[in-house]
Amino acid sequence: MIADPVALARDLIRCPSVPPAEGGALALIERVLKDAGFAVHRVTFTEPGTDPVENLYARIGTDAPHLMFAGHTDVVPPGDETKWTHAPFASEIEKGVLYGRGAVDMKGSIACKLAATLDYIGEHEGKPNGSISFLITGDEEGIAVNGTVKLLTWAAERGEKFDHCILGEPTNPEKLGDMIKIGRRGSQNGTLIVTGTQGHVAYPELADNPVRGIVALIAAINAQPLDNGTAHFGASNLEFTSVDVGNKTVNVIPAEARARFNIRFNDTRTREELRAEVEKRAAKAAGNAIRWHIDWEPSNADVFLTAPGPFVDMIQKAVAEITGIKPVLSTTGGTSDARFIRNYCPVIEFGLLSQQMHKIDEHVATADLVALTAIYRKILERYFA
Ligand SMILES: [Zn+2]
């Protein structure tokens, strides 16, 4: 069976799957995988106050080892379509470049995984020496509550057990082969609130300006780095993202000042310990002079690392053999669904180029689709050898 990743990517891009719409993308994958002998499940999840979203789980084989290909078919909205030189869902190819929303994030890589899988099982009497599954959500780019988390729970309740996962998010900064993601930093949002006493600017002795206090606390919190990083992670970092008093006047000392911040943290830290450290710095600088507190937001973005070992080595080699580049093992960037998958099995991320994600005129070189298919194909060969 010869599967063409470019044709599959074009067909997927033509499905306008802006969440909650499935847009025909999951139906297409269902058809392709059913024809190849997969047992396919379309699963719709709902939650009060959200739109129902369709997801897909498909498996071929019953034995271990079990390799999961994970991804999402939903795409971010195209924005102002008149700014696109190629209509976002027209899937046009010009000079070896395929244009369309989702080209790199991440219909392109799903097409490559499908093509590689069809090719692999076609050459192995219709089934793998183990199991292959596709766990594809339609709710990653949206509010992401009816997607991967629920699909993983659903699969676990059915007794599905996974040995390894490859998530196809765009990972390469410059060229295909640059980078494999083997972990992600944790994320924690907070708001620092300093309370003062409102008053007239001409009578400061009757007021207590919280702006002075918040400036001092921000400086104290940022005075020292949180840590120096680890073998696989950069330093944990706290970044203030806004400072507000919401004051529309020029003659009133405000009653309260707020500063929002985000912490990205590495695998030497825990959320609890970081919260304690930030509060300790604030408390020390505040003494009895500044009234303050921090509101911490709930978060499900914990740090994780898939430690280098045989699985990561095998993938690194497969990438190098096809592209001629030895990919860097990285933990940079924002969070992804890998943070949920890692609770079920080791997960790495390798996909297309990251530059074009969410942009106008999102595009991918068709040569990259062919090469990524060859990489996934090699991974399948080695994984089930
Ligand atoms: Zn994505």
Side-chain angles (χ1 to χ4, degrees):
M1 193 179 320
I2 304 293
D4 177 1
V6 178
L8 281 167
R10 294 187 84 174
D11 289 346
L12 282 171
I13 290 170
R14 285 194 190 99
C15 304
S17 48
V18 176
E22 173 269 336
L26 293 177
L28 193 154
I29 294 171
E30 176 178 17
R31 224 162 38 238
V32 169
L33 289 177
K34 265 193 178 151
D35 285 351
F38 276 75
V40 183
H41 306 268
R42 296 277 293 276
V43 205
T44 302
F45 295 120
T46 55
E47 181 148 327
T50 68
D51 294 305
V53 181
E54 289 190 65
N55 301 272
L56 179 148
Y57 178 72
R59 176 172 178 168
I60 192 167
T62 49
D63 302 333
H66 184 175
L67 180 65
M68 182 217 300
F69 281 135
H72 63 87
T73 48
D74 61 323
V75 293
V76 293
D80 183 354
E81 297 197 20
T82 63
K83 296 222 167 80
W84 288 65
T85 55
H86 301 268
F89 301 108
S91 218
E92 289 169 347
I93 294 181
E94 189 179 300
K95 298 193 178 101
V97 176
L98 169 58
Y99 290 83
R101 177 55 86 220
V104 294
D105 186 15
M106 54 174 284
K107 289 173 169 176
S109 101
I110 290 178
C112 297
K113 287 170 169 177
L114 289 170
T117 300
L118 297 191
D119 193 61
Y120 172 80
I121 60 179
E123 286 188 13
H124 291 79
E125 288 150 5
K127 60 183 189 60
N129 190 14
S131 303
I132 302 171
S133 61
F134 281 79
L135 188 127
I136 308 290
T137 178
D139 192 17
E140 200 268 350
E141 303 283 17
I143 49 172
V145 296
N146 292 316
T148 295
V149 174
K150 286 183 178 162
L151 195 53
L152 285 163
T153 308
W154 174 90
E157 281 165 2
R158 284 176 42 89
E160 298 291 321
K161 289 200 167 39
F162 307 102
D163 293 300
H164 295 92
C165 173
I166 300 171
L167 176 63
E169 289 291 352
T171 50
N172 299 284
E174 303 281 342
K175 285 198 295 292
L176 190 72
D178 280 344
M179 188 178 283
I180 297 171
K181 300 245 168 135
I182 57 166
R184 296 275 188 161
R185 290 174 295 179
S187 177
Q188 172 69 59
N189 287 315
T191 305
L192 169 67
I193 299 153
V194 172
T195 310
T197 305
Q198 189 173 315
H200 195 300
V201 283
Y203 301 89
E205 66 280 6
L206 300 177
D208 170 20
N209 192 341
V211 173
R212 291 177 201 277
I214 207 157
V215 168
L217 296 197
I218 288 171
I221 288 168
N222 268 340
Q224 301 291 332
L226 290 170
D227 55 55
N228 298 315
T230 66
H232 295 288
F233 284 89
S236 302
N237 184 54
L238 184 152
E239 212 55 51
F240 280 94
T241 54
S242 85
V243 183
D244 296 294
V245 293
N247 193 351
K248 294 195 169 56
T249 71
V250 294
N251 58 2
V252 176
I253 291 171
E256 185 184 272
R258 294 175 163 254
R260 301 195 65 197
F261 61 88
N262 174 265
I263 307 173
R264 294 294 157 121
F265 58 95
N266 63 38
D267 58 342
T268 58
R269 313 305 297 256
T270 66
R271 190 180 299 288
E272 295 69 30
E273 180 206 356
L274 278 165
R275 289 181 181 189
E277 166 138 12
V278 172
E279 295 198 347
K280 195 172 122 199
R281 291 183 184 193
K284 196 170 165 215
N288 293 323
I290 303 170
R291 285 174 290 160
W292 66 279
H293 68 280
I294 294 175
D295 283 348
W296 297 103
E297 284 178 25
S299 171
N300 54 14
D302 278 318
V303 57
F304 79 92
L305 176 71
T306 297
F311 180 65
V312 174
D313 286 352
M314 181 271 281
I315 289 173
Q316 203 175 22
K317 283 203 187 83
V319 173
E321 282 171 35
I322 301 294
T323 63
I325 303 168
K326 188 179 178 197
V328 168
L329 305 178
S330 169
T331 58
T332 56
T335 61
S336 73
D337 274 353
R339 72 185 190 271
F340 306 125
I341 298 167
R342 66 100 183 203
N343 294 320
Y344 295 84
C345 66
V347 52
I348 66 99
E349 298 174 66
F350 185 72
L352 292 159
L353 270 59
S354 52
Q355 287 161 350
Q356 286 294 319
M357 296 190 279
H358 300 195
K359 286 197 176 156
I360 285 172
D361 277 329
E362 180 176 344
H363 59 264
V364 63
T366 56
D368 280 355
L369 294 173
V370 173
L372 182 58
T373 303
I375 291 167
Y376 289 148
R377 177 70 180 79
K378 201 172 263 294
I379 289 170
L380 287 169
E381 196 67 49
R382 302 257 162 93
Y383 191 78
F384 293 111

